[in-house]
Amino acid sequence: ITYKKKLEKINLQIIFKEQFVSVLLNDFKELLDIFSKIKIDIIHVNQISFFPDIDVVFDFIQKNKSAHTKIFMLMHDFSSVCSNNHLLKNDGSECGVICGRKHCECNSNAGENVKKWGDFFTNQADQIFCFSEHSRQILSQVYPTIFNKINVTPHEVPFLRKVNVRK
């Protein structure tokens, strides 16, 4: 499930019996209608920081998670620890991950956002995938109780053949 901000649509991607299906939906009601008719094994949460209201996403996941459903979170940015996603203050300097610990210059609602993400990581996510050890350390600094749920899976760049360019 991703949110297409320019289209203001929800993009649902499903793999069913080795078939890939992608559907654009208008709202979460349509998504709930679909999910009420199928068994969900895994929900991959991927870049939800751009959804207009992440509370709706968290509520949706909680309502649709059954005993056999696994929730995997893929960490592509730092929206869960910093209001502006990239650990930078408004002046471009590093924020030092203060959003997750105390006062935040980026957003007055930072403490509330960190609590929501903490509840999601603690109570709903089964595994959290970071793409570097550094990302894992930052996430663990703000949410120390989820350290054992975090897996580091680096992005791999496939081997590229050498190209000879004529001069």
Side-chain angles (χ1 to χ4, degrees):
I1 302 169
T2 55
Y3 183 72
K4 300 291 185 182
K5 191 172 185 174
K6 289 181 182 178
L7 299 174
E8 295 184 359
K9 302 274 185 189
I10 297 166
N11 184 26
L12 173 63
Q13 297 174 334
I14 299 173
I15 300 172
F16 180 72
K17 295 186 179 181
E18 299 183 19
Q19 294 291 320
F20 178 80
V21 178
S22 182
V23 181
L24 287 176
L25 306 170
N26 293 314
D27 55 35
F28 271 92
K29 183 181 179 319
E30 290 181 14
L31 195 58
L32 285 171
D33 290 343
I34 291 170
F35 276 27
S36 69
K37 296 172 176 88
I38 61 175
K39 176 186 166 201
I40 304 168
D41 295 322
I42 299 171
I43 297 176
H44 284 269
V45 180
N46 188 10
Q47 297 187 2
I48 64 172
S49 58
F50 296 107
F51 272 79
D53 186 353
I54 63 168
D55 290 334
V56 173
V57 178
F58 291 151
D59 290 343
F60 172 82
I61 292 169
Q62 184 176 13
K63 289 175 185 170
N64 286 281
K65 182 178 181 180
S66 64
H68 71 275
T69 305
K70 298 293 181 197
I71 307 295
F72 296 161
M73 177 70 198
L74 307 176
M75 298 301 298
H76 291 282
D77 58 42
F78 294 105
S79 58
S80 61
V81 298
C82 181
S83 303
N84 68 13
N85 297 339
H86 302 293
L87 305 178
L88 297 174
K89 294 181 190 175
N90 293 333
D91 65 4
S93 63
E94 292 182 36
C95 75
V97 197
I98 57 173
C99 296
R101 293 181 291 182
K102 54 183 181 177
H103 171 73
C104 178
E105 295 176 21
C106 310
N107 181 343
S108 62
N109 295 325
E112 182 181 325
N113 290 339
V114 167
K115 181 180 180 336
K116 289 176 189 178
W117 279 100
D119 290 344
F120 172 74
F121 290 143
T122 303
N123 301 317
Q124 295 184 36
D126 292 293
Q127 290 185 37
I128 302 159
F129 293 90
C130 290
F131 301 108
S132 72
E133 184 59 39
H134 184 253
S135 296
R136 179 187 194 167
Q137 290 170 0
I138 290 171
L139 200 58
S140 298
Q141 178 181 344
V142 178
Y143 309 103
T145 60
I146 65 167
F147 183 83
N148 292 331
K149 289 185 177 187
I150 303 172
N151 297 292
V152 176
T153 307
H155 284 297
E156 291 186 25
V157 177
F159 174 76
L160 301 174
R161 66 178 173 78
K162 184 177 180 180
V163 177
N164 293 318
V165 180
R166 289 189 211 183
K167 294 184 180 186

